Amino acid sequence: MYEPIRTKSVHSTTADTDFPHRSREEELDIQLAGHLAALLAVTDELRALTPCADLDAASERLAAQVTRLRGGRPPARAAATTAASAARSVALHRRAHALAGRALVVAASRADTAAAILAAERMDAHAAALEPRELASR
């Protein structure tokens, strides 16, 4: 009627599997490093559009956190070469705010106080940068 199964299931839940597993902490570290690296990229773009000391300090703190989470490997950084425009700046601040929010959620779930504080500060900074522009456009 049916042919018997001759191979092991790929959905096996036994402990004798031969591929490495990461712990929940390791997965959260990877996820948090990714969010912070993306936030760093957007911050670097904003620095290229509108240089300011706050963005310079934030990018250095973000790079330090990513390096810590990646076990000492620094993040890849590239100089942004986009033309400055108000619409581009607003879009970047929105993107940075969203990325900082994601980083804050992951940092809170893994109880990483330093990363959570940095993410919350960046959320506040990007919200403040958006506030006058969004009120003026209404």
Side-chain angles (χ1 to χ4, degrees), residues 89-102:
S89 179
V90 168
L92 287 172
H93 279 293
R94 284 188 184 136
R95 175 89 175 124
H97 186 269
L99 287 166
R102 290 183 189 129

PDB file of all heavy atoms in Angstrom, residues 89-102:
ATOM      1  N   SER A  89      16.233  64.216   3.448  1.00  0.00           N
ATOM      2  CA  SER A  89      16.560  64.308   4.867  1.00  0.00           C
ATOM      3  C   SER A  89      15.406  63.808   5.730  1.00  0.00           C
ATOM      4  O   SER A  89      15.616  63.063   6.695  1.00  0.00           O
ATOM      5  CB  SER A  89      16.908  65.751   5.229  1.00  0.00           C
ATOM      6  OG  SER A  89      17.203  65.855   6.589  1.00  0.00           O
ATOM      7  N   VAL A  90      14.193  64.188   5.405  1.00  0.00           N
ATOM      8  CA  VAL A  90      13.014  63.738   6.156  1.00  0.00           C
ATOM      9  C   VAL A  90      12.876  62.222   6.051  1.00  0.00           C
ATOM     10  O   VAL A  90      12.623  61.532   7.055  1.00  0.00           O
ATOM     11  CB  VAL A  90      11.738  64.459   5.666  1.00  0.00           C
ATOM     12  CG1 VAL A  90      10.490  63.808   6.227  1.00  0.00           C
ATOM     13  CG2 VAL A  90      11.787  65.930   6.031  1.00  0.00           C
ATOM     14  N   ALA A  91      13.049  61.688   4.848  1.00  0.00           N
ATOM     15  CA  ALA A  91      12.940  60.238   4.664  1.00  0.00           C
ATOM     16  C   ALA A  91      14.001  59.496   5.471  1.00  0.00           C
ATOM     17  O   ALA A  91      13.724  58.454   6.075  1.00  0.00           O
ATOM     18  CB  ALA A  91      13.069  59.897   3.184  1.00  0.00           C
ATOM     19  N   LEU A  92      15.209  60.041   5.506  1.00  0.00           N
ATOM     20  CA  LEU A  92      16.270  59.409   6.282  1.00  0.00           C
ATOM     21  C   LEU A  92      15.991  59.470   7.780  1.00  0.00           C
ATOM     22  O   LEU A  92      16.246  58.497   8.507  1.00  0.00           O
ATOM     23  CB  LEU A  92      17.621  60.047   5.961  1.00  0.00           C
ATOM     24  CG  LEU A  92      18.215  59.692   4.602  1.00  0.00           C
ATOM     25  CD1 LEU A  92      19.447  60.538   4.321  1.00  0.00           C
ATOM     26  CD2 LEU A  92      18.570  58.213   4.541  1.00  0.00           C
ATOM     27  N   HIS A  93      15.467  60.582   8.249  1.00  0.00           N
ATOM     28  CA  HIS A  93      15.127  60.681   9.678  1.00  0.00           C
ATOM     29  C   HIS A  93      14.011  59.706  10.038  1.00  0.00           C
ATOM     30  O   HIS A  93      14.042  59.087  11.113  1.00  0.00           O
ATOM     31  CB  HIS A  93      14.721  62.111  10.049  1.00  0.00           C
ATOM     32  CG  HIS A  93      15.881  63.021  10.275  1.00  0.00           C
ATOM     33  ND1 HIS A  93      16.750  62.876  11.337  1.00  0.00           N
ATOM     34  CD2 HIS A  93      16.322  64.095   9.576  1.00  0.00           C
ATOM     35  CE1 HIS A  93      17.673  63.815  11.286  1.00  0.00           C
ATOM     36  NE2 HIS A  93      17.438  64.570  10.219  1.00  0.00           N
ATOM     37  N   ARG A  94      13.036  59.544   9.159  1.00  0.00           N
ATOM     38  CA  ARG A  94      11.960  58.563   9.411  1.00  0.00           C
ATOM     39  C   ARG A  94      12.520  57.149   9.467  1.00  0.00           C
ATOM     40  O   ARG A  94      12.156  56.356  10.333  1.00  0.00           O
ATOM     41  CB  ARG A  94      10.889  58.666   8.326  1.00  0.00           C
ATOM     42  CG  ARG A  94       9.993  59.847   8.489  1.00  0.00           C
ATOM     43  CD  ARG A  94       8.840  59.794   7.509  1.00  0.00           C
ATOM     44  NE  ARG A  94       8.052  60.998   7.644  1.00  0.00           N
ATOM     45  CZ  ARG A  94       7.585  61.699   6.629  1.00  0.00           C
ATOM     46  NH1 ARG A  94       7.798  61.308   5.398  1.00  0.00           N
ATOM     47  NH2 ARG A  94       6.874  62.781   6.848  1.00  0.00           N
ATOM     48  N   ARG A  95      13.383  56.843   8.500  1.00  0.00           N
ATOM     49  CA  ARG A  95      13.998  55.511   8.460  1.00  0.00           C
ATOM     50  C   ARG A  95      14.833  55.270   9.719  1.00  0.00           C
ATOM     51  O   ARG A  95      14.776  54.199  10.325  1.00  0.00           O
ATOM     52  CB  ARG A  95      14.864  55.397   7.203  1.00  0.00           C
ATOM     53  CG  ARG A  95      15.650  54.135   7.086  1.00  0.00           C
ATOM     54  CD  ARG A  95      14.840  53.081   6.373  1.00  0.00           C
ATOM     55  NE  ARG A  95      15.677  51.916   6.164  1.00  0.00           N
ATOM     56  CZ  ARG A  95      15.340  50.710   6.602  1.00  0.00           C
ATOM     57  NH1 ARG A  95      14.192  50.515   7.186  1.00  0.00           N
ATOM     58  NH2 ARG A  95      16.132  49.703   6.398  1.00  0.00           N
ATOM     59  N   ALA A  96      15.614  56.268  10.117  1.00  0.00           N
ATOM     60  CA  ALA A  96      16.446  56.136  11.309  1.00  0.00           C
ATOM     61  C   ALA A  96      15.596  55.958  12.563  1.00  0.00           C
ATOM     62  O   ALA A  96      15.930  55.162  13.442  1.00  0.00           O
ATOM     63  CB  ALA A  96      17.353  57.357  11.455  1.00  0.00           C
ATOM     64  N   HIS A  97      14.489  56.667  12.638  1.00  0.00           N
ATOM     65  CA  HIS A  97      13.582  56.538  13.786  1.00  0.00           C
ATOM     66  C   HIS A  97      13.028  55.117  13.862  1.00  0.00           C
ATOM     67  O   HIS A  97      12.984  54.506  14.947  1.00  0.00           O
ATOM     68  CB  HIS A  97      12.456  57.569  13.673  1.00  0.00           C
ATOM     69  CG  HIS A  97      11.567  57.623  14.865  1.00  0.00           C
ATOM     70  ND1 HIS A  97      10.427  56.855  14.965  1.00  0.00           N
ATOM     71  CD2 HIS A  97      11.657  58.323  16.026  1.00  0.00           C
ATOM     72  CE1 HIS A  97       9.853  57.089  16.129  1.00  0.00           C
ATOM     73  NE2 HIS A  97      10.574  57.973  16.788  1.00  0.00           N
ATOM     74  N   ALA A  98      12.628  54.574  12.727  1.00  0.00           N
ATOM     75  CA  ALA A  98      12.090  53.205  12.700  1.00  0.00           C
ATOM     76  C   ALA A  98      13.165  52.183  13.079  1.00  0.00           C
ATOM     77  O   ALA A  98      12.900  51.245  13.851  1.00  0.00           O
ATOM     78  CB  ALA A  98      11.526  52.893  11.317  1.00  0.00           C
ATOM     79  N   LEU A  99      14.366  52.351  12.560  1.00  0.00           N
ATOM     80  CA  LEU A  99      15.450  51.425  12.885  1.00  0.00           C
ATOM     81  C   LEU A  99      15.825  51.502  14.361  1.00  0.00           C
ATOM     82  O   LEU A  99      16.081  50.471  14.999  1.00  0.00           O
ATOM     83  CB  LEU A  99      16.674  51.723  12.021  1.00  0.00           C
ATOM     84  CG  LEU A  99      16.559  51.305  10.565  1.00  0.00           C
ATOM     85  CD1 LEU A  99      17.669  51.941   9.732  1.00  0.00           C
ATOM     86  CD2 LEU A  99      16.597  49.792  10.440  1.00  0.00           C
ATOM     87  N   ALA A 100      15.850  52.697  14.907  1.00  0.00           N
ATOM     88  CA  ALA A 100      16.154  52.852  16.329  1.00  0.00           C
ATOM     89  C   ALA A 100      15.073  52.183  17.175  1.00  0.00           C
ATOM     90  O   ALA A 100      15.373  51.581  18.216  1.00  0.00           O
ATOM     91  CB  ALA A 100      16.280  54.328  16.686  1.00  0.00           C
ATOM     92  N   GLY A 101      13.829  52.261  16.741  1.00  0.00           N
ATOM     93  CA  GLY A 101      12.737  51.586  17.453  1.00  0.00           C
ATOM     94  C   GLY A 101      12.909  50.081  17.452  1.00  0.00           C
ATOM     95  O   GLY A 101      12.712  49.420  18.485  1.00  0.00           O
ATOM     96  N   ARG A 102      13.288  49.529  16.306  1.00  0.00           N
ATOM     97  CA  ARG A 102      13.525  48.083  16.235  1.00  0.00           C
ATOM     98  C   ARG A 102      14.691  47.681  17.132  1.00  0.00           C
ATOM     99  O   ARG A 102      14.635  46.661  17.824  1.00  0.00           O
ATOM    100  CB  ARG A 102      13.802  47.674  14.788  1.00  0.00           C
ATOM    101  CG  ARG A 102      12.588  47.775  13.912  1.00  0.00           C
ATOM    102  CD  ARG A 102      12.894  47.300  12.510  1.00  0.00           C
ATOM    103  NE  ARG A 102      11.761  47.609  11.655  1.00  0.00           N
ATOM    104  CZ  ARG A 102      11.849  48.238  10.514  1.00  0.00           C
ATOM    105  NH1 ARG A 102      13.027  48.615  10.047  1.00  0.00           N
ATOM    106  NH2 ARG A 102      10.769  48.483   9.801  1.00  0.00           N
TER     107      ARG A 102
END
